[in-house]
Amino acid sequence: MSPPTRLQDIQRKVVDVGVLGLLTGILISVGALSVIGGMKLAVRSSEVEVPHIEGLTLKEATRVLSTVQLSLNHSGDRYASDAPEGSIVSQLPRGGSRTKEGRRIRAIVSKGPRTHAVPDLIGSTSRVAEVTTQQANYVIGHVSTVT
Protein backbone atom coordinates (compact mmCIF):
# COMPACT_ATOMS: atom_id res chain seq x y z
CA MET A 1 0.00 0.00 0.00
CA SER A 2 1.36 3.33 -0.97
CA PRO A 3 1.25 6.31 1.40
CA PRO A 4 -1.69 8.71 0.85
CA THR A 5 -1.04 11.59 -1.44
CA ARG A 6 -1.53 15.18 -0.46
CA LEU A 7 -4.80 15.35 -2.46
CA GLN A 8 -6.19 12.27 -0.70
CA ASP A 9 -5.21 13.80 2.64
CA ILE A 10 -7.14 16.99 1.85
CA GLN A 11 -10.17 15.02 0.61
CA ARG A 12 -10.22 12.93 3.77
CA LYS A 13 -10.05 16.05 5.97
CA VAL A 14 -12.90 17.70 4.00
CA VAL A 15 -15.05 14.57 4.43
CA ASP A 16 -14.22 14.42 8.15
CA VAL A 17 -15.16 18.11 8.61
CA GLY A 18 -18.40 17.56 6.64
CA VAL A 19 -19.40 14.54 8.75
CA LEU A 20 -18.56 16.45 11.93
CA GLY A 21 -20.66 19.43 10.74
CA LEU A 22 -23.59 17.14 9.85
CA LEU A 23 -23.49 15.43 13.25
CA THR A 24 -23.28 18.82 15.02
CA GLY A 25 -26.29 20.08 13.06
CA ILE A 26 -28.31 16.97 13.92
CA LEU A 27 -27.38 17.33 17.60
CA ILE A 28 -28.38 21.03 17.66
CA SER A 29 -31.69 20.27 15.89
CA VAL A 30 -32.59 17.48 18.32
CA GLY A 31 -31.72 19.73 21.27
CA ALA A 32 -33.82 22.60 19.95
CA LEU A 33 -36.82 20.35 19.30
CA SER A 34 -36.49 18.88 22.80
CA VAL A 35 -36.47 22.34 24.37
CA ILE A 36 -39.48 23.50 22.34
CA GLY A 37 -41.43 20.30 23.05
CA GLY A 38 -40.57 20.42 26.74
CA MET A 39 -41.68 24.04 27.07
CA LYS A 40 -44.97 23.36 25.31
CA LEU A 41 -45.59 20.38 27.55
CA ALA A 42 -44.71 22.34 30.69
CA VAL A 43 -46.94 25.28 29.79
CA ARG A 44 -49.83 23.13 28.56
CA SER A 45 -49.81 20.78 31.54
CA SER A 46 -50.62 23.60 33.99
CA GLU A 47 -53.70 24.70 32.03
CA VAL A 48 -57.19 23.55 32.96
CA GLU A 49 -60.60 23.93 31.36
CA VAL A 50 -62.77 26.54 33.08
CA PRO A 51 -66.04 25.00 34.29
CA HIS A 52 -69.41 26.64 33.56
CA ILE A 53 -70.54 28.23 36.84
CA GLU A 54 -73.33 30.50 35.62
CA GLY A 55 -76.55 29.67 37.44
CA LEU A 56 -74.73 28.31 40.50
CA THR A 57 -74.55 29.94 43.93
CA LEU A 58 -71.21 31.27 45.20
CA LYS A 59 -70.81 28.26 47.50
CA GLU A 60 -71.52 25.76 44.69
CA ALA A 61 -69.22 27.60 42.26
CA THR A 62 -66.37 27.68 44.80
CA ARG A 63 -66.67 23.90 45.26
CA VAL A 64 -66.73 23.24 41.48
CA LEU A 65 -63.75 25.53 40.80
CA SER A 66 -61.67 24.02 43.58
CA THR A 67 -61.82 20.60 41.87
CA VAL A 68 -59.71 22.04 39.01
CA GLN A 69 -57.42 24.22 41.19
CA LEU A 70 -59.20 27.51 40.40
CA SER A 71 -60.68 30.04 42.83
CA LEU A 72 -63.64 32.41 42.76
CA ASN A 73 -63.56 36.20 42.83
CA HIS A 74 -66.99 37.73 43.58
CA SER A 75 -66.48 40.92 41.59
CA GLY A 76 -69.95 42.45 41.87
CA ASP A 77 -73.72 42.21 41.86
CA ARG A 78 -76.36 43.32 39.39
CA TYR A 79 -80.10 43.09 38.93
CA ALA A 80 -81.16 40.31 36.59
CA SER A 81 -84.80 39.55 35.86
CA ASP A 82 -83.90 36.17 34.31
CA ALA A 83 -81.84 34.83 37.25
CA PRO A 84 -82.77 34.14 40.86
CA GLU A 85 -81.15 36.18 43.58
CA GLY A 86 -77.78 34.78 44.67
CA SER A 87 -77.00 32.91 41.45
CA ILE A 88 -74.06 33.73 39.19
CA VAL A 89 -75.14 35.55 36.02
CA SER A 90 -71.73 36.16 34.43
CA GLN A 91 -68.20 34.75 34.62
CA LEU A 92 -64.82 35.68 33.20
CA PRO A 93 -63.08 33.78 31.66
CA ARG A 94 -66.01 32.00 30.06
CA GLY A 95 -66.82 28.39 30.83
CA GLY A 96 -65.17 25.98 28.40
CA SER A 97 -62.10 28.16 27.83
CA ARG A 98 -58.65 27.25 29.17
CA THR A 99 -56.62 29.02 31.84
CA LYS A 100 -53.69 28.25 34.12
CA GLU A 101 -54.18 26.50 37.45
CA GLY A 102 -54.43 28.82 40.46
CA ARG A 103 -56.14 31.65 38.58
CA ARG A 104 -59.23 33.44 39.89
CA ILE A 105 -62.52 33.30 38.00
CA ARG A 106 -64.46 36.58 38.25
CA ALA A 107 -68.19 36.24 38.85
CA ILE A 108 -71.14 38.65 38.89
CA VAL A 109 -74.02 37.61 41.16
CA SER A 110 -77.72 38.32 40.57
CA LYS A 111 -79.64 40.61 42.92
CA GLY A 112 -82.82 39.18 41.42
CA PRO A 113 -85.31 41.24 39.43
CA ARG A 114 -85.40 44.95 40.10
CA THR A 115 -88.56 45.88 41.97
CA HIS A 116 -90.15 49.26 42.51
CA ALA A 117 -92.92 50.00 44.93
CA VAL A 118 -96.08 51.20 43.23
CA PRO A 119 -97.19 54.45 44.85
CA ASP A 120 -100.63 54.51 46.52
CA LEU A 121 -102.68 57.01 44.52
CA ILE A 122 -106.12 56.25 45.95
CA GLY A 123 -107.82 59.48 47.05
CA SER A 124 -105.18 61.69 45.38
CA THR A 125 -105.99 64.49 42.98
CA SER A 126 -104.97 63.93 39.38
CA ARG A 127 -102.15 66.48 39.65
CA VAL A 128 -100.72 64.89 42.84
CA ALA A 129 -101.02 61.42 41.24
CA GLU A 130 -99.19 62.63 38.13
CA VAL A 131 -96.29 64.11 40.10
CA THR A 132 -96.05 61.07 42.41
CA THR A 133 -95.91 58.59 39.52
CA GLN A 134 -93.29 60.62 37.66
CA GLN A 135 -91.10 60.69 40.77
CA ALA A 136 -91.37 56.88 40.99
CA ASN A 137 -90.46 56.55 37.26
CA TYR A 138 -93.92 55.38 36.22
CA VAL A 139 -96.10 56.69 33.41
CA ILE A 140 -99.82 57.27 33.91
CA GLY A 141 -101.91 55.18 31.57
CA HIS A 142 -105.71 54.91 31.58
CA VAL A 143 -107.37 57.10 34.26
CA SER A 144 -110.72 56.14 35.81
CA THR A 145 -112.76 58.46 37.99
CA VAL A 146 -115.56 57.47 40.32
CA THR A 147 -118.01 59.98 41.72
Side-chain angles (χ1 to χ4, degrees), residues 21-132:
L22 180 65
L23 291 175
T24 303
I26 290 172
L27 185 61
I28 289 172
S29 299
V30 168
L33 290 174
S34 295
V35 167
I36 291 169
M39 290 301 291
K40 282 189 175 186
L41 183 63
V43 169
R44 192 75 172 158
S45 66
S46 66
E47 285 188 350
V48 294
E49 184 173 335
V50 178
H52 294 276
I53 59 171
E54 292 178 9
L56 302 178
T57 65
L58 289 173
K59 187 175 182 180
E60 294 167 337
T62 300
R63 184 178 41 77
V64 168
L65 291 173
S66 69
T67 63
V68 289
Q69 285 71 44
L70 297 173
S71 59
L72 184 67
N73 177 15
H74 178 185
S75 59
D77 301 306
R78 76 168 187 226
Y79 291 105
S81 59
D82 58 341
E85 184 176 352
S87 65
I88 295 173
V89 293
S90 165
Q91 75 179 80
L92 191 65
R94 290 279 189 218
S97 62
R98 297 191 65 79
T99 191
K100 291 186 179 185
E101 288 180 353
R103 294 274 169 96
R104 297 178 73 83
I105 306 303
R106 294 181 7 199
I108 305 289
V109 177
S110 172
K111 290 182 175 183
R114 186 180 298 245
T115 57
H116 295 286
V118 177
D120 183 11
L121 303 176
I122 297 175
S124 299
T125 65
S126 62
R127 180 65 189 140
V128 170
E130 185 179 335
V131 170
T132 304

